[in-house]
Amino acid sequence: MVKIIGFLRDRSGLLKWLFFLWLVCTVVFDVMALRHEPHFFGDTIIGFWSGFGLLGCLAMGFICKGIYHLWLMQDEDYYDK
Amino acid sequence: MTSNALLMHPATWFILAALLMPVLNRIHPMLQKLTLVMVPALSIFLIYHLPESFGTVTWMGFDLVFGRVDKLTFVFLNVFTLMALIGGFYCMHVTESGQHTAAFLYVAGALGVTLCGDYLTLFVFWELMAFASTFLIWYRRKKKSIDAGFRYLLVHTTGGLILLGGILLRYRNVGVEGLAFEQIAQDGATLADYLIMVGFMLNAAVPPIHAWLPDAYPEATVTGAVFMCAFTTKTAVYVLARAFPGFEALAILGAVMALYGVGYAVIENDARRILAYHIVSQVGYMVCGIGIGTAMALNGTCAHAYAHILYKALLFMGVGAVLEMTGKSKLNELGGLWKTMPFALVFTVIGGIAISGFPLTSGFISKSMIIAGAGEAHRPVLLVMLTLASVGTFLSVGIKLPYFIWFGKDSGVKGREAYWNMNLAMCIAAFFCLFLGFGPGTAWLYSMLPFDVNYHPYTSYHLSETLQILSFTGLGFYLMVKKLTPEDHMSLDLDWFYRKGAKGFMWLAKHPVHAFNEWMDTLYRTVGTPLTLALARLFTWFDKEGIDFTIDGSARQVVEGGNKLRQIQTGQIQQYIGSAVAAVFVILAAVLLLV
């Protein structure tokens, strides 16, 4: 198993491009997907959930880290002081 | 309760095994290991043969119902007993009997709560859970664990008292019938019902009363945390689903806690604390489903509880294996373990993709049911909040956690594969994470749900939606991986109020209260003592000169009177008769003269 993981790690550049190709495929698949009755406006837009995933992830990362650095971050022995 | 009912109750066997554990270990350690898996295996057999109602005992006019089985009960019983078996395998290498005793009593408490049909029985098993699980924290024996255990116990004692207050109020309002553990309608809910709900919500770790969970679970023993992550919060989900479906407050708080948990998971550094915050988040989905209250949402809640227990336990087992083998759980101290702990990596990744809801895993067919339930109930805000939480889930547990433990920078930490029993337990959990995700596994899980299932997870749109969300979350991680590098700091949470509050209370006791006490002491010594002595002297004088004088004087008079009386007594009967006749004569003369 270590050999398989090592083999894949050695080809990280190829994996990266395969990943980008996969991203394109998911959007293309969304064009073909059979849509159910929309629960809200996002269900009607092609590729909406791609943007939601990317922006949601970036927003969550920046907002949470921002609040952490501005307010929540303390030393490990904060309560022992 | 008849002996038959006692023997068919799975909690009986867990309690018996818990009490016998030290003896079994003393006879032969192998007996203890066998018990750890045989009792859960027996309980899995037992739950398939339980009648709808058993073990009703009348005690002081109250009907205590130890066994009530319906579909809602069964799905939770099923996963609890399966989890006990997996946990039994995982902790087999631990020789210390006390840890197993605590774990089995804890499982017995959870099974007792799930099976009971009245609030009094519920409360007893509820407290057994809190009491036993505290030892799973204390057995780690570090100062931080001891402290966290005390906080955990105090918080749960408070929650238990709130629950008890609600139960007693309900008894006063409704009478004995009110103690039956049944569904409560939102329209007629009283203060008593809301107190009970708060008691349940505390165990479900609903913000703002959630901080005990990420405080305590990371400090528990490696094996104890695996048990704890499965039972406390999910028992709370069961009781909320039983009593409070359709309560709007739960729908809103559930969606909030789903986001709150992942928000903290994104910034946390300790692997087990990340997972603990993820329990808050995942239980948020279930609480929200209960709050929505439709058949689809409640089915989703039960399915998600089932799936969640298994993949969360798998994740705790994976990072627990790393902690057991390397002694470390902070992400900033780990990295590059893929060469030495590949099995733990694979199992953790399976748990990670299951919790993220990847197609062909259990999370895909359970979590989506709650989100679809929100959609069908025309709750788009809840739908978006829950979907956003799934983005954060994949970001923090699906990618961040395995990346920084097994890849990332090479920390130089030397690990080795976990013990065979730990790997076996992870293998069983991983199997179920995948088995439940498609075909017969999904059908099996759906057949256990409380309502008929009219939901098909594998539609092309649902697949497309999920793949887009997860894939582009992966892209987001790739773009900001440096930003997400864990830092060796802690983050404040709402436990600040009682941890700092306790310090404030201690300061108050040590300084103003102590100073006042000292001042009072000095005042007493300088003024109080001399005053007391003077008063004592005054009373002594009064006692001697006043009371003693009077009493002694009276005594002397009595003695003297007695002596005089004795002198006039001659002993001659004639004199006594003569005196009597004279006296009668005098009285008669007086009467005649006066009348």
Side-chain angles (χ1 to χ4, degrees):
Chain A
M1 193 177 293
V2 174
K3 281 181 183 169
I4 297 170
I5 299 169
F7 177 83
L8 292 172
R9 274 176 68 87
D10 292 342
R11 285 150 187 82
S12 59
L14 177 66
L15 285 178
K16 187 172 75 180
W17 287 108
L18 281 175
F19 174 62
F20 290 146
L21 184 66
W22 167 258
L23 293 177
V24 176
C25 288
T26 57
V27 182
V28 172
F29 180 62
D30 195 39
V31 178
M32 298 185 290
L34 196 65
R35 285 162 192 280
H36 58 65
E37 184 192 342
H39 290 140
F40 86 120
F41 76 93
D43 286 335
T44 58
I45 302 169
I46 288 171
F48 173 81
W49 294 111
S50 303
F52 185 87
L54 180 62
L55 294 177
C57 173
L58 294 175
M60 201 171 278
F62 282 108
I63 292 171
C64 294
K65 277 285 184 178
I67 295 172
Y68 177 62
H69 283 285
L70 288 175
W71 183 23
L72 301 176
M73 188 172 78
Q74 295 292 344
D75 291 336
E76 285 288 342
D77 59 348
Y78 171 74
Y79 286 114
D80 300 325
K81 285 176 184 170
Chain B
M1 195 171 358
T2 63
S3 58
N4 194 25
L6 199 64
L7 292 178
M8 73 170 67
H9 199 303
T12 306
W13 296 96
F14 277 97
I15 293 171
L16 200 64
L19 299 176
L20 288 176
M21 207 66 84
V23 182
L24 295 170
N25 191 38
R26 184 66 67 88
I27 296 169
H28 198 287
M30 187 52 76
L31 274 177
Q32 178 172 273
K33 291 182 199 295
L34 276 174
T35 309
L36 285 172
V37 291
M38 291 307 287
V39 170
L42 172 68
S43 67
I44 291 173
F45 171 79
L46 283 175
I47 60 162
Y48 279 96
H49 297 87
L50 291 175
E52 284 186 5
S53 176
F54 65 98
T56 303
V57 179
T58 304
W59 178 74
M60 291 175 65
F62 297 108
D63 284 335
L64 306 181
V65 184
F66 285 85
R68 180 259 309 268
V69 184
D70 56 17
K71 289 197 87 173
L72 180 62
T73 317
F74 184 77
V75 65
F76 280 89
L77 278 183
N78 197 298
V79 69
F80 284 159
T81 48
L82 175 61
M83 183 56 226
L85 180 66
I86 293 170
F89 275 115
Y90 191 73
C91 65
M92 221 180 223
H93 63 281
V94 177
T95 52
E96 191 172 29
S97 304
Q99 292 197 35
H100 302 313
T101 300
F104 267 32
L105 285 176
Y106 176 47
V107 176
L111 293 173
V113 168
T114 313
L115 274 164
C116 74
D118 71 283
Y119 279 113
L120 292 180
T121 314
L122 182 145
F123 182 74
V124 172
F125 283 111
W126 193 261
E127 291 306 302
L128 175 64
M129 278 175 68
F131 174 72
S133 54
T134 307
F135 283 87
L136 295 176
I137 306 167
W138 279 340
Y139 265 117
R140 200 164 173 222
R141 294 197 170 86
K142 291 189 170 184
K143 185 183 178 300
K144 283 179 95 173
S145 305
I146 305 291
D147 292 349
F150 275 113
R151 286 194 295 274
Y152 175 86
L153 187 61
L154 284 170
V155 170
H156 279 275
T157 306
T158 310
L161 286 174
I162 294 170
L163 172 63
L164 182 65
I167 293 170
L168 295 178
L169 258 184
R170 199 172 152 77
Y171 173 62
R172 198 190 68 174
N173 295 344
V174 189
V176 178
E177 295 79 23
L179 294 182
F181 179 36
E182 301 291 350
Q183 184 177 340
I184 294 166
Q186 185 174 221
D187 293 339
T190 60
L191 173 66
D193 303 322
Y194 282 107
L195 284 175
I196 292 171
M197 191 163 90
V198 170
F200 290 168
M201 278 163 56
L202 187 136
N203 270 28
V206 179
I209 44 177
H210 69 286
W212 59 268
L213 195 158
D215 179 28
Y217 284 16
E219 305 303 338
T221 62
V222 167
T223 54
V226 173
F227 279 97
M228 291 177 81
C229 77
F231 292 101
T232 301
T233 46
K234 260 59 75 185
T235 314
V237 167
Y238 163 75
V239 292
L240 284 170
R242 166 76 63 193
F244 300 103
F247 274 64
E248 182 61 19
L250 294 179
I252 296 164
L253 285 171
V256 169
M257 74 191 272
L259 279 173
Y260 191 96
V262 287
Y264 269 93
V266 170
I267 57 178
E268 269 297 333
N269 181 32
D270 186 288
R272 295 204 299 172
R273 188 155 282 122
I274 290 173
L275 294 178
Y277 272 114
H278 256 283
I279 297 177
V280 175
S281 174
Q282 294 292 303
V283 172
Y285 283 89
M286 299 169 216
V287 171
C288 182
I290 295 165
I292 293 168
T294 59
M296 165 96 96
L298 288 171
N299 273 343
T301 294
C302 295
H304 199 46
Y306 200 107
H308 168 80
I309 284 174
L310 295 168
Y311 60 61
K312 182 59 72 178
L314 177 56
L315 288 162
F316 261 98
M317 288 192 280
V319 298
V322 172
L323 177 60
E324 180 84 20
M325 294 301 147
T326 65
K328 296 181 189 302
S329 64
K330 288 183 179 174
L331 299 189
N332 71 309
E333 296 172 353
L334 291 163
L337 284 178
W338 64 275
K339 286 178 193 162
T340 48
M341 298 189 76
F343 278 113
L345 163 65
V346 170
F347 292 135
T348 308
V349 166
I350 291 174
I353 60 172
I355 199 174
S356 307
F358 259 80
L360 304 178
T361 66
S362 56
F364 182 76
I365 57 99
S366 63
K367 189 194 294 185
S368 57
M369 210 181 215
I370 300 175
I371 297 176
E376 283 203 350
H378 306 292
R379 308 294 296 270
V381 176
L382 297 182
L383 184 145
V384 170
M385 287 171 80
L386 295 180
T387 310
L388 187 59
S390 69
V391 171
T393 302
F394 184 49
L395 174 66
S396 52
V397 174
I399 318 176
K400 177 185 151 185
L401 188 84
Y403 178 80
F404 285 109
I405 293 178
W406 279 277
F407 301 106
K409 66 171 173 51
D410 193 347
S411 61
V413 172
K414 298 290 174 212
R416 61 188 173 87
E417 281 297 3
Y419 307 122
W420 70 268
N421 61 299
M422 295 170 102
N423 278 331
L424 177 62
M426 286 192 269
C427 187
I428 298 170
F431 166 76
F432 275 96
C433 287
L434 300 174
F435 172 68
L436 297 175
F438 60 93
T442 307
W444 179 65
L445 176 59
Y446 282 3
S447 70
M448 278 192 285
L449 299 179
F451 302 99
D452 290 336
V453 177
N454 184 25
Y455 174 68
H456 303 284
Y458 284 98
T459 61
S460 60
Y461 183 68
H462 182 212
L463 273 171
S464 168
E465 176 189 351
T466 308
L467 289 176
Q468 285 182 82
I469 290 172
L470 297 178
S471 305
F472 278 83
T473 301
L475 177 64
F477 180 80
Y478 175 76
L479 293 175
M480 58 174 184
V481 62
K482 283 188 180 159
K483 177 92 183 155
L484 290 173
T485 304
E487 295 160 76
D488 190 18
H489 290 286
M490 62 157 295
S491 41
L492 297 179
D493 200 348
L494 295 177
D495 55 344
W496 183 89
F497 287 99
Y498 56 77
R499 293 179 76 170
K500 280 288 177 187
K503 281 197 180 294
F505 179 77
M506 288 302 288
W507 180 87
L508 204 71
K510 274 183 183 170
H511 296 97
V513 174
H514 180 67
F516 181 71
N517 185 45
E518 287 284 301
W519 181 76
M520 284 297 290
D521 198 36
T522 314
L523 184 74
Y524 183 75
R525 268 187 277 113
T526 52
V527 181
T529 311
L531 194 70
T532 310
L533 286 172
L535 275 172
R537 279 195 290 273
L538 180 70
F539 284 126
T540 308
W541 175 85
F542 178 72
D543 181 44
K544 196 174 172 184
E545 301 298 329
I547 297 172
D548 288 0
F549 178 80
T550 310
I551 292 173
D552 291 354
S554 306
R556 273 195 298 274
Q557 291 301 316
V558 170
V559 171
E560 283 172 14
N563 283 338
K564 284 175 182 165
L565 194 65
R566 190 159 45 80
Q567 283 168 6
I568 60 170
Q569 287 180 332
T570 60
Q572 302 276 324
I573 189 82
Q574 300 91 327
Q575 287 178 0
Y576 291 160
I577 293 169
S579 301
V581 171
V584 170
F585 180 77
V586 170
I587 292 166
L588 280 174
V591 169
L592 288 172
L593 286 172
L594 292 174
V595 174

